[in-house]
Amino acid sequence: MNVKQQTRRAPPIIDQEGREIAPEQLDPEVHGFRFDFGNSSANPFGNLTREQRLARLDALAKLLDVAFILPGTNVRYGIDGLIGLIPVIGDIITTAISLWLVREARALGAPWHLTMRMLGNVALDGVVGAVPLVGDAFDVMFRANIRNVKLLRRWMEKQPRL
């Protein structure tokens, strides 16, 4: 242990009512429990490079839009199309995931005009996707997440490398 780790105090433990709990009041197994990823590669929220973050977004977009092939055809679909089969809730879930992709793009520094275009793709996918049957087919064919990652990738390629 270095000096910094020895002098660092644990944050206060707060119960459900917002009151602070003294560490002595906890069971020995609970005392000191925390998620500490450190510099581990197991930390999904760690400090990733721009390329790693873009690769993660690309993998998620492929999972959402083109992960599977309809047997006997060349039609590709993803879990967006499957979850979208659940009326209302499925479309809300997939739209929320798509919005997370847009938020990540914004965190990568995407300008407002690119973000608005990405939001337009998500909105179109969400609104038309909510229509029974026709919307499910539209989800499979439109592939908003793949479109958004391509837009982001094109923008990032034009940016100077630091």
Side-chain angles (χ1 to χ4, degrees):
M1 269 191 186
N2 63 28
V3 175
K4 214 181 228 186
Q5 290 174 332
Q6 290 174 350
T7 59
R8 184 174 42 173
R9 284 192 48 212
I13 301 166
I14 308 295
D15 69 5
Q16 292 178 344
E17 285 79 37
R19 294 182 302 246
E20 188 171 336
I21 299 174
E24 306 81 50
Q25 295 175 325
L26 297 174
D27 292 334
E29 294 88 35
V30 177
H31 180 67
F33 178 79
R34 67 174 191 253
F35 290 104
D36 187 15
F37 293 109
N39 292 328
S40 169
S41 63
N43 183 358
F45 307 106
N47 296 329
L48 301 176
T49 65
R50 288 171 60 113
E51 289 76 21
Q52 289 171 326
R53 290 174 78 177
L54 185 59
R56 182 176 62 180
L57 294 177
D58 193 37
L60 181 59
K62 286 178 181 174
L63 178 65
L64 287 168
D65 291 342
V66 294
F68 312 108
I69 298 176
L70 192 62
T73 69
N74 285 334
V75 177
R76 297 188 71 89
Y77 65 97
I79 60 171
D80 186 359
L82 294 174
I83 296 173
L85 291 172
I86 303 168
V88 182
I89 294 171
D91 296 311
I92 291 171
I93 291 169
T94 57
T95 301
I97 295 170
S98 296
L99 287 172
W100 180 81
L101 285 170
V102 176
R103 190 201 71 71
E104 280 292 300
R106 192 71 183 138
L108 284 169
W112 68 270
H113 62 86
L114 179 67
T115 306
M116 290 300 118
R117 194 161 168 200
M118 293 172 77
L119 284 172
N121 287 338
V122 172
L124 182 63
D125 188 42
V127 170
V128 177
V131 177
L133 298 177
V134 173
D136 298 322
F138 182 79
D139 274 343
V140 170
M141 303 312 276
F142 184 63
R143 301 175 180 163
N145 300 300
I146 294 288
R147 288 174 188 258
N148 286 344
V149 170
K150 282 183 182 178
L151 286 170
L152 180 62
R153 187 177 295 280
R154 263 189 256 132
W155 173 79
M156 285 182 71
E157 287 171 356
K158 293 177 185 176
Q159 303 309 304
R161 305 264 177 187
L162 299 176

PDB file of all heavy atoms in Angstrom, residues 67-87:
ATOM      1  N   ALA A  67     -27.220  -8.842 -35.961  1.00  0.00           N
ATOM      2  CA  ALA A  67     -26.534  -9.970 -35.326  1.00  0.00           C
ATOM      3  C   ALA A  67     -26.936 -11.336 -35.885  1.00  0.00           C
ATOM      4  O   ALA A  67     -26.144 -12.273 -35.860  1.00  0.00           O
ATOM      5  CB  ALA A  67     -26.781  -9.955 -33.823  1.00  0.00           C
ATOM      6  N   PHE A  68     -28.131 -11.475 -36.418  1.00  0.00           N
ATOM      7  CA  PHE A  68     -28.631 -12.773 -36.850  1.00  0.00           C
ATOM      8  C   PHE A  68     -29.059 -12.721 -38.321  1.00  0.00           C
ATOM      9  O   PHE A  68     -29.328 -11.656 -38.853  1.00  0.00           O
ATOM     10  CB  PHE A  68     -29.839 -13.186 -36.001  1.00  0.00           C
ATOM     11  CG  PHE A  68     -29.610 -13.024 -34.524  1.00  0.00           C
ATOM     12  CD1 PHE A  68     -30.249 -12.007 -33.825  1.00  0.00           C
ATOM     13  CD2 PHE A  68     -28.758 -13.863 -33.837  1.00  0.00           C
ATOM     14  CE1 PHE A  68     -30.047 -11.830 -32.470  1.00  0.00           C
ATOM     15  CE2 PHE A  68     -28.549 -13.701 -32.479  1.00  0.00           C
ATOM     16  CZ  PHE A  68     -29.193 -12.689 -31.781  1.00  0.00           C
ATOM     17  N   ILE A  69     -29.135 -13.903 -38.935  1.00  0.00           N
ATOM     18  CA  ILE A  69     -29.617 -14.016 -40.309  1.00  0.00           C
ATOM     19  C   ILE A  69     -30.879 -14.859 -40.284  1.00  0.00           C
ATOM     20  O   ILE A  69     -30.917 -15.927 -39.669  1.00  0.00           O
ATOM     21  CB  ILE A  69     -28.569 -14.673 -41.227  1.00  0.00           C
ATOM     22  CG1 ILE A  69     -27.299 -13.830 -41.280  1.00  0.00           C
ATOM     23  CG2 ILE A  69     -29.132 -14.878 -42.623  1.00  0.00           C
ATOM     24  CD1 ILE A  69     -26.175 -14.455 -42.079  1.00  0.00           C
ATOM     25  N   LEU A  70     -31.913 -14.378 -40.965  1.00  0.00           N
ATOM     26  CA  LEU A  70     -33.154 -15.132 -41.092  1.00  0.00           C
ATOM     27  C   LEU A  70     -32.865 -16.363 -41.960  1.00  0.00           C
ATOM     28  O   LEU A  70     -32.406 -16.210 -43.091  1.00  0.00           O
ATOM     29  CB  LEU A  70     -34.242 -14.258 -41.716  1.00  0.00           C
ATOM     30  CG  LEU A  70     -35.661 -14.784 -41.661  1.00  0.00           C
ATOM     31  CD1 LEU A  70     -36.118 -14.936 -40.217  1.00  0.00           C
ATOM     32  CD2 LEU A  70     -36.604 -13.828 -42.374  1.00  0.00           C
ATOM     33  N   PRO A  71     -33.072 -17.567 -41.438  1.00  0.00           N
ATOM     34  CA  PRO A  71     -32.720 -18.785 -42.182  1.00  0.00           C
ATOM     35  C   PRO A  71     -33.373 -18.830 -43.563  1.00  0.00           C
ATOM     36  O   PRO A  71     -34.537 -18.512 -43.731  1.00  0.00           O
ATOM     37  CB  PRO A  71     -33.253 -19.910 -41.292  1.00  0.00           C
ATOM     38  CG  PRO A  71     -33.326 -19.324 -39.925  1.00  0.00           C
ATOM     39  CD  PRO A  71     -33.645 -17.873 -40.131  1.00  0.00           C
ATOM     40  N   GLY A  72     -32.564 -19.197 -44.544  1.00  0.00           N
ATOM     41  CA  GLY A  72     -33.055 -19.328 -45.908  1.00  0.00           C
ATOM     42  C   GLY A  72     -33.083 -18.026 -46.680  1.00  0.00           C
ATOM     43  O   GLY A  72     -33.497 -18.001 -47.837  1.00  0.00           O
ATOM     44  N   THR A  73     -32.653 -16.929 -46.050  1.00  0.00           N
ATOM     45  CA  THR A  73     -32.644 -15.620 -46.712  1.00  0.00           C
ATOM     46  C   THR A  73     -31.333 -14.912 -46.397  1.00  0.00           C
ATOM     47  O   THR A  73     -30.497 -15.431 -45.662  1.00  0.00           O
ATOM     48  CB  THR A  73     -33.801 -14.729 -46.225  1.00  0.00           C
ATOM     49  OG1 THR A  73     -33.549 -14.366 -44.866  1.00  0.00           O
ATOM     50  CG2 THR A  73     -35.136 -15.415 -46.345  1.00  0.00           C
ATOM     51  N   ASN A  74     -31.163 -13.750 -46.959  1.00  0.00           N
ATOM     52  CA  ASN A  74     -30.020 -12.897 -46.608  1.00  0.00           C
ATOM     53  C   ASN A  74     -30.440 -11.753 -45.697  1.00  0.00           C
ATOM     54  O   ASN A  74     -29.689 -10.801 -45.518  1.00  0.00           O
ATOM     55  CB  ASN A  74     -29.372 -12.330 -47.876  1.00  0.00           C
ATOM     56  CG  ASN A  74     -28.560 -13.370 -48.602  1.00  0.00           C
ATOM     57  OD1 ASN A  74     -28.081 -14.321 -47.996  1.00  0.00           O
ATOM     58  ND2 ASN A  74     -28.415 -13.197 -49.908  1.00  0.00           N
ATOM     59  N   VAL A  75     -31.641 -11.824 -45.136  1.00  0.00           N
ATOM     60  CA  VAL A  75     -32.154 -10.762 -44.274  1.00  0.00           C
ATOM     61  C   VAL A  75     -31.493 -10.870 -42.907  1.00  0.00           C
ATOM     62  O   VAL A  75     -31.574 -11.905 -42.240  1.00  0.00           O
ATOM     63  CB  VAL A  75     -33.693 -10.851 -44.140  1.00  0.00           C
ATOM     64  CG1 VAL A  75     -34.205  -9.789 -43.177  1.00  0.00           C
ATOM     65  CG2 VAL A  75     -34.349 -10.723 -45.491  1.00  0.00           C
ATOM     66  N   ARG A  76     -30.840  -9.794 -42.509  1.00  0.00           N
ATOM     67  CA  ARG A  76     -30.182  -9.739 -41.204  1.00  0.00           C
ATOM     68  C   ARG A  76     -31.056  -8.924 -40.250  1.00  0.00           C
ATOM     69  O   ARG A  76     -31.667  -7.932 -40.650  1.00  0.00           O
ATOM     70  CB  ARG A  76     -28.805  -9.118 -41.330  1.00  0.00           C
ATOM     71  CG  ARG A  76     -27.873  -9.943 -42.221  1.00  0.00           C
ATOM     72  CD  ARG A  76     -26.464  -9.416 -42.183  1.00  0.00           C
ATOM     73  NE  ARG A  76     -25.830  -9.678 -40.915  1.00  0.00           N
ATOM     74  CZ  ARG A  76     -25.145 -10.784 -40.609  1.00  0.00           C
ATOM     75  NH1 ARG A  76     -25.013 -11.724 -41.495  1.00  0.00           N
ATOM     76  NH2 ARG A  76     -24.593 -10.926 -39.421  1.00  0.00           N
ATOM     77  N   TYR A  77     -31.088  -9.339 -39.000  1.00  0.00           N
ATOM     78  CA  TYR A  77     -31.833  -8.625 -37.971  1.00  0.00           C
ATOM     79  C   TYR A  77     -31.068  -8.751 -36.665  1.00  0.00           C
ATOM     80  O   TYR A  77     -30.152  -9.558 -36.537  1.00  0.00           O
ATOM     81  CB  TYR A  77     -33.263  -9.175 -37.830  1.00  0.00           C
ATOM     82  CG  TYR A  77     -33.320 -10.604 -37.348  1.00  0.00           C
ATOM     83  CD1 TYR A  77     -33.534 -10.889 -36.010  1.00  0.00           C
ATOM     84  CD2 TYR A  77     -33.139 -11.669 -38.230  1.00  0.00           C
ATOM     85  CE1 TYR A  77     -33.569 -12.191 -35.555  1.00  0.00           C
ATOM     86  CE2 TYR A  77     -33.176 -12.979 -37.787  1.00  0.00           C
ATOM     87  CZ  TYR A  77     -33.385 -13.235 -36.450  1.00  0.00           C
ATOM     88  OH  TYR A  77     -33.416 -14.530 -36.002  1.00  0.00           O
ATOM     89  N   GLY A  78     -31.423  -7.935 -35.721  1.00  0.00           N
ATOM     90  CA  GLY A  78     -30.750  -7.959 -34.426  1.00  0.00           C
ATOM     91  C   GLY A  78     -31.747  -8.013 -33.294  1.00  0.00           C
ATOM     92  O   GLY A  78     -32.949  -8.191 -33.507  1.00  0.00           O
ATOM     93  N   ILE A  79     -31.243  -7.832 -32.091  1.00  0.00           N
ATOM     94  CA  ILE A  79     -32.143  -7.915 -30.948  1.00  0.00           C
ATOM     95  C   ILE A  79     -33.121  -6.742 -30.909  1.00  0.00           C
ATOM     96  O   ILE A  79     -34.150  -6.833 -30.263  1.00  0.00           O
ATOM     97  CB  ILE A  79     -31.388  -8.060 -29.608  1.00  0.00           C
ATOM     98  CG1 ILE A  79     -30.463  -6.883 -29.355  1.00  0.00           C
ATOM     99  CG2 ILE A  79     -30.621  -9.351 -29.557  1.00  0.00           C
ATOM    100  CD1 ILE A  79     -29.869  -6.876 -27.963  1.00  0.00           C
ATOM    101  N   ASP A  80     -32.814  -5.657 -31.627  1.00  0.00           N
ATOM    102  CA  ASP A  80     -33.758  -4.550 -31.753  1.00  0.00           C
ATOM    103  C   ASP A  80     -35.059  -5.048 -32.372  1.00  0.00           C
ATOM    104  O   ASP A  80     -36.144  -4.747 -31.893  1.00  0.00           O
ATOM    105  CB  ASP A  80     -33.149  -3.433 -32.603  1.00  0.00           C
ATOM    106  CG  ASP A  80     -34.007  -2.178 -32.666  1.00  0.00           C
ATOM    107  OD1 ASP A  80     -35.093  -2.151 -32.070  1.00  0.00           O
ATOM    108  OD2 ASP A  80     -33.584  -1.216 -33.323  1.00  0.00           O
ATOM    109  N   GLY A  81     -34.938  -5.843 -33.428  1.00  0.00           N
ATOM    110  CA  GLY A  81     -36.125  -6.395 -34.077  1.00  0.00           C
ATOM    111  C   GLY A  81     -36.856  -7.394 -33.202  1.00  0.00           C
ATOM    112  O   GLY A  81     -38.086  -7.481 -33.230  1.00  0.00           O
ATOM    113  N   LEU A  82     -36.103  -8.158 -32.411  1.00  0.00           N
ATOM    114  CA  LEU A  82     -36.738  -9.156 -31.534  1.00  0.00           C
ATOM    115  C   LEU A  82     -37.439  -8.496 -30.346  1.00  0.00           C
ATOM    116  O   LEU A  82     -38.590  -8.813 -30.048  1.00  0.00           O
ATOM    117  CB  LEU A  82     -35.690 -10.155 -31.030  1.00  0.00           C
ATOM    118  CG  LEU A  82     -35.063 -11.060 -32.080  1.00  0.00           C
ATOM    119  CD1 LEU A  82     -33.952 -11.898 -31.459  1.00  0.00           C
ATOM    120  CD2 LEU A  82     -36.119 -11.939 -32.715  1.00  0.00           C
ATOM    121  N   ILE A  83     -36.728  -7.589 -29.675  1.00  0.00           N
ATOM    122  CA  ILE A  83     -37.325  -6.916 -28.517  1.00  0.00           C
ATOM    123  C   ILE A  83     -38.488  -6.041 -28.965  1.00  0.00           C
ATOM    124  O   ILE A  83     -39.482  -5.887 -28.254  1.00  0.00           O
ATOM    125  CB  ILE A  83     -36.271  -6.085 -27.755  1.00  0.00           C
ATOM    126  CG1 ILE A  83     -35.203  -7.005 -27.172  1.00  0.00           C
ATOM    127  CG2 ILE A  83     -36.903  -5.266 -26.644  1.00  0.00           C
ATOM    128  CD1 ILE A  83     -34.035  -6.281 -26.550  1.00  0.00           C
ATOM    129  N   GLY A  84     -38.375  -5.484 -30.173  1.00  0.00           N
ATOM    130  CA  GLY A  84     -39.434  -4.637 -30.710  1.00  0.00           C
ATOM    131  C   GLY A  84     -40.741  -5.376 -30.935  1.00  0.00           C
ATOM    132  O   GLY A  84     -41.791  -4.750 -31.098  1.00  0.00           O
ATOM    133  N   LEU A  85     -40.711  -6.711 -30.942  1.00  0.00           N
ATOM    134  CA  LEU A  85     -41.940  -7.487 -31.092  1.00  0.00           C
ATOM    135  C   LEU A  85     -42.840  -7.389 -29.865  1.00  0.00           C
ATOM    136  O   LEU A  85     -44.035  -7.629 -29.947  1.00  0.00           O
ATOM    137  CB  LEU A  85     -41.614  -8.955 -31.379  1.00  0.00           C
ATOM    138  CG  LEU A  85     -40.983  -9.244 -32.743  1.00  0.00           C
ATOM    139  CD1 LEU A  85     -40.530 -10.694 -32.827  1.00  0.00           C
ATOM    140  CD2 LEU A  85     -41.936  -8.905 -33.870  1.00  0.00           C
ATOM    141  N   ILE A  86     -42.254  -7.027 -28.728  1.00  0.00           N
ATOM    142  CA  ILE A  86     -43.040  -6.833 -27.510  1.00  0.00           C
ATOM    143  C   ILE A  86     -43.725  -5.470 -27.638  1.00  0.00           C
ATOM    144  O   ILE A  86     -43.041  -4.452 -27.732  1.00  0.00           O
ATOM    145  CB  ILE A  86     -42.150  -6.863 -26.247  1.00  0.00           C
ATOM    146  CG1 ILE A  86     -41.378  -8.162 -26.163  1.00  0.00           C
ATOM    147  CG2 ILE A  86     -42.993  -6.636 -25.000  1.00  0.00           C
ATOM    148  CD1 ILE A  86     -40.280  -8.152 -25.110  1.00  0.00           C
ATOM    149  N   PRO A  87     -45.038  -5.440 -27.664  1.00  0.00           N
ATOM    150  CA  PRO A  87     -45.731  -4.164 -27.881  1.00  0.00           C
ATOM    151  C   PRO A  87     -45.362  -3.115 -26.832  1.00  0.00           C
ATOM    152  O   PRO A  87     -45.243  -3.401 -25.653  1.00  0.00           O
ATOM    153  CB  PRO A  87     -47.220  -4.540 -27.762  1.00  0.00           C
ATOM    154  CG  PRO A  87     -47.266  -5.997 -28.006  1.00  0.00           C
ATOM    155  CD  PRO A  87     -45.970  -6.553 -27.526  1.00  0.00           C
TER     156      PRO A  87
END
